[in-house]
Amino acid sequence: MNWIFGYGSIMWNPAISYSEVRKAKLSGWARRFWQLSPDHRGTPAFPGRVVTLVEKADCDCWGLAFRIEESQWDKTLEILDEREKNGYTRHFLEMNLAAGSEELCVTYIARDTNVSFSPLPSAKETALNITQATGPSGSNTDYFLRLRDTLESLQVYDEEIERLNKAFVEIDR
Ligand code: SIN
């Protein structure tokens, strides 16, 4: 079976044809706002920040798995390769479907070797960057809120989102 695992915008805006969607997790990976976005949620002059995955023992990254029919598979990868072209590469990983089996999936990860990989030392700096950026796909704050709402609707606790939520409150004061 062909699965795409999404943990960022692919969750709320897959824009691909799929026959089934399931909550799923990748074990040993953590979601981080460490990838600069000069093309979707920012500009080359003022990049925003989008999520990528970093390896972290004892951590699960929950997201959504989309099942793709064989006839749609090549087209799906073509669409996602284009959309995720700023630093993300395809990775073939084992995921766990919620209350289900282990399956192989393709997920897009921006590794630390790409030029847009840019961790910031604090959640406050990250939140400030997010509040100030906007790009062709919309504001960076909108990206954050959609991610937060999607995870909330899936009843997923995420440490990065919690840290950033607190930082947004702090910079709002
Ligand atoms: C994903 O959604 O799985 C990748 C990151 C993004 O496009 O936001």
Side-chain angles (χ1 to χ4, degrees), residues 4-13 31 33 35 40-41 49-53 64 66 80 83-84 88 106-110 143 147:
I4 296 287
F5 178 84
Y7 56 91
S9 65
I10 291 175
M11 286 193 293
W12 70 83
N13 179 27
R31 192 173 357 241
F33 270 84
Q35 179 69 2
H40 283 296
R41 300 291 177 159
R49 293 189 157 263
V50 287
V51 285
T52 186
L53 297 180
L64 286 176
F66 299 89
L80 293 175
R83 165 175 167 168
E84 306 293 326
Y88 292 83
V106 166
T107 192
Y108 285 78
I109 300 176
Y143 178 99
L147 177 56

Side-chain angles (χ1 to χ4, degrees), residues 51-151:
V51 285
T52 186
L53 297 180
V54 292
E55 283 172 270
K56 191 172 177 217
D58 301 329
C59 202
D60 290 330
C61 175
W62 284 95
L64 286 176
F66 299 89
R67 188 153 76 82
I68 314 294
E69 294 300 327
E70 182 61 34
S71 60
Q72 296 294 315
W73 186 238
D74 289 348
K75 179 82 195 144
T76 301
L77 293 178
E78 207 180 292
I79 292 169
L80 293 175
D81 283 357
E82 172 62 21
R83 165 175 167 168
E84 306 293 326
K85 66 183 173 200
N86 183 56
Y88 292 83
T89 46
R90 288 185 208 161
H91 293 261
F92 295 87
L93 298 173
E94 293 276 357
M95 66 174 176
N96 284 92
L97 296 174
S101 52
E102 204 168 71
E103 300 279 350
L104 261 181
C105 68
V106 166
T107 192
Y108 285 78
I109 300 176
R111 302 306 306 256
D112 59 1
T113 44
N114 91 88
V115 292
S116 295
F117 187 84
S118 170
L120 278 175
S122 75
K124 195 170 170 183
E125 283 165 272
T126 309
L128 262 178
N129 186 166
I130 291 171
T131 55
Q132 290 165 1
T134 192
S137 301
S139 77
N140 208 175
T141 302
D142 175 68
Y143 178 99
F144 174 79
L145 293 176
R146 279 174 183 242
L147 177 56
R148 189 183 72 180
D149 292 351
T150 304
L151 293 176

